[in-house]
Amino acid sequence: MNLADYYGQAVRRHRELLRLSQEELANRSSIDRTYISGVERGVRNPTLQVMQRIATALGSDLDVIFATARDIAHSKDA
């Protein structure tokens, strides 16, 4: 399993649970909305620093985002 393949989906899941738009997440994390979109679609490869900023903006720890990514990967394997 490549966790990077599911990181963006995990970000989207957490964002949607909080009922945040990409624009609101972008503002909270000081990252451009188009970059957030790219992360969620899996076309951007964010640095660890950017991943941490996104997690913080979601009010979460990075390990929780990674755990969600693992859950998504396992659910797709089932």
Side-chain angles (χ1 to χ4, degrees), residues 14-32:
H14 282 266
R15 178 180 61 76
E16 289 176 346
L17 285 171
L18 293 171
R19 297 182 179 179
L20 293 175
S21 67
Q22 287 181 346
E23 189 71 36
E24 290 168 317
L25 178 57
N27 289 337
R28 286 183 178 198
S29 60
S30 299
I31 298 170
D32 190 81

Side-chain angles (χ1 to χ4, degrees), residues 32-63:
D32 190 81
R33 188 210 53 83
T34 59
Y35 193 88
I36 296 291
S37 173
V39 168
E40 288 186 358
R41 290 181 292 120
V43 297
R44 293 285 187 167
N45 188 17
T47 64
L48 186 56
Q49 181 181 16
V50 169
M51 288 189 280
Q52 183 61 59
R53 285 170 51 193
I54 292 171
T56 299
L58 291 168
S60 185
D61 291 325
L62 190 52
D63 60 331

